[in-house]
């Protein structure tokens, strides 16, 4: 009996099996950035803020290129009787883009550049301080609860009950006299520090309440229970577990607090208890322009429009940021 050889069929080469691509996941930050880029209002307001911030940061460079300092006076360009700038629109020319100040002859453009720097520094510093205080108070009150929450809530209600403007009017001058004599000149840095402290004393309350409400809804979640069961300390739970889930409301609160501090600082300087002349400041410039509304309206026009554009851009960007960070937003 013969054995027939086994027939081996040749193996044919087959095409590689195509691998289907899965859905690429995006983090909440990537989704928010995508919504923000697609929002025209956010793009325009963001670009406006970027330009204004760059102008404020580059103030010394702009001064060097412009060739005029914020304290340089050009009184030869003023009329002899009324000290009104010669020419049209408050003395606008190739050498003085926004004209010159009546009475002093100082260049308005370069003073606005440094005034923008002053306003943004005070507003951003105040927002950072108030955000730090508000986040710390809110996260501690919301997580611990009990008597700690009651004490922090009582302090919050007390701060909200104090009238901001009356408190600022009553505190600013006594604080200055506490460190400087009645005839001594108060340095600008001291006034800036006092303004930031006043804003911080009142501004942290809204952030604290917002963060407290968010923490109350998060403290019983599974990841917090898991951290607590693993023996994590209080600081780890508060700032490593809870805080990363609170960045969205904190960023929105911060972006909306900055324009409030810009207008608040300008209002206090307008009343003479904030930044005073000769330091460049929008509030002080608008206050001096009141006496020249009929004879030189351009003096109030340029700083007024600039501070309006700054505050409007911050508010629009804050609203757009809130919509972008909201998962339920339709944008």
């Amino acid at each position: 009996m013969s054995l027939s050889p086994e027939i081996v069929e040749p193996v044919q080469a087959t095409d590689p099996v195509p691998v289907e691509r899965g859905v690429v996941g995006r983090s909440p930050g990537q989704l928010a950035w995508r919504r923000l880029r697609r929002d025209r209002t956010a793009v325009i307001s963001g670009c406006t803020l970027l330009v204004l911030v760059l102008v404020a940061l580059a103030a010394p460079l702009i001064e060097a290129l412009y060739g005029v300092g914020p304290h340089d006076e050009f009184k030869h360009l003023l009329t002899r009787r009324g000290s009104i700038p010669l020419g049209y629109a408050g003395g606008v020319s190739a050498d003085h883009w926004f004209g010159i100040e009546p009475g002093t002859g100082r260049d308005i453009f370069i003073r606005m550049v440094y005034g923008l720097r002053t306003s943004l520094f005070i507003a951003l510093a105040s927002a950072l301080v108030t955000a730090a205080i508000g986040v710390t108070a809110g996260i501690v009150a919301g997580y611990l609860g009990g008597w700690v929450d009651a004490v922090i809530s009582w302090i919050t209600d007390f701060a909200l009950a104090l009238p901001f403007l009356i408190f600022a009017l009553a505190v600013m001058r006594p604080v200055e006299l506490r460190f400087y004599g009645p005839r001594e000149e108060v340095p600008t840095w001291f006034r800036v520090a006092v303004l930031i402290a006043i804003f911080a004393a009142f501004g942290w309350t809204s952030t604290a309440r917002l963060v407290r409400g968010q923490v109350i809804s998060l403290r019983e979640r599974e990841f917090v229970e898991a951290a607590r069961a693993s023996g994590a300390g209080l600081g780890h739970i508060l700032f490593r577990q809870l805080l990363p889930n609170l960045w969205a409301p904190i960023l929105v609160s911060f972006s909306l607090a900055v324009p409030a501090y810009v207008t608040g600082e300008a209002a206090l300087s307008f009343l003479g208890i904030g930044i005073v002349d000769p330091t460049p400041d929008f509030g002080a410039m608008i206050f001096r322009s009141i006496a020249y509304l009929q004879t030189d309206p351009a003096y109030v026009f340029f700083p007024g429009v600039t501070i309006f554009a700054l505050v409007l851009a911050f508010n629009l960007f804050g609203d757009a940021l809130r919509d972008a960070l909201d998962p339920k937003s339709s944008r």
Side-chain angles (χ1 to χ4, degrees), residues 210 243-254 321-322 325-326:
L210 178 64
L243 186 59
N245 294 278
L246 301 172
W247 283 118
I250 292 173
L251 287 176
V252 173
S253 177
F254 179 86
L321 182 63
R322 178 177 54 194
L325 294 173
D326 185 6

Side-chain angles (χ1 to χ4, degrees), residues 4-12:
S4 58
E6 184 177 357
I7 300 175
V8 180
E9 296 181 357
V11 180
Q12 297 180 354

Side-chain angles (χ1 to χ4, degrees), residues 22-218:
V23 178
V24 179
R26 293 187 177 91
S27 65
Q30 292 175 333
L31 293 175
W33 175 245
R34 185 179 181 183
R35 295 192 193 101
L36 205 61
R37 288 187 304 172
R38 295 168 63 180
D39 190 347
R40 289 185 177 180
T41 303
V43 173
I44 295 175
S45 59
C47 292
T48 303
L49 290 177
L50 181 61
V51 171
L52 293 176
V53 171
L54 290 177
V55 168
L57 292 176
L61 178 61
I62 294 176
E63 177 185 355
L65 296 176
Y66 190 57
V68 177
H71 303 292
D72 296 342
E73 297 183 356
F74 302 89
K75 291 187 177 181
H76 63 280
L77 299 177
L78 302 175
T79 59
R80 293 183 179 181
R81 293 183 179 180
S83 297
I84 303 301
L86 298 172
Y88 298 98
V92 173
S93 63
D95 297 327
H96 306 284
W97 295 350
F98 291 172
I100 58 177
E101 289 184 343
T104 61
R106 295 175 300 196
D107 187 88
I108 294 178
F109 171 76
I110 196 63
R111 289 187 63 81
M112 285 178 52
V113 171
Y114 277 93
L116 183 65
R117 191 181 193 183
T118 303
S119 296
L120 283 177
F121 175 78
I122 294 176
L124 291 174
S126 301
L128 287 173
V129 174
T130 54
I133 298 174
V135 169
T136 303
I139 199 172
V140 170
Y143 180 77
L144 295 180
W147 68 269
V148 176
D149 185 17
V151 171
I152 295 178
S153 298
W154 182 86
I155 297 175
T156 303
D157 295 335
F158 178 78
L160 289 172
L162 292 174
F164 168 74
L165 185 58
I166 297 177
F167 181 85
L169 289 170
V171 167
M172 191 71 179
R173 187 55 180 168
V175 171
E176 293 177 355
L177 294 176
R178 175 64 178 81
F179 295 92
Y180 297 93
R183 296 184 179 180
E184 292 181 320
E185 183 179 357
V186 180
T188 302
W189 68 265
F190 184 82
R191 288 180 173 271
V192 170
V194 174
L195 284 176
I196 294 174
I198 292 175
F199 287 136
F202 288 88
W204 64 273
T205 53
S206 58
T207 303
R209 282 192 165 185
L210 178 64
V211 171
R212 174 184 174 273
Q214 295 290 327
V215 171
I216 290 176
S217 64
L218 291 174

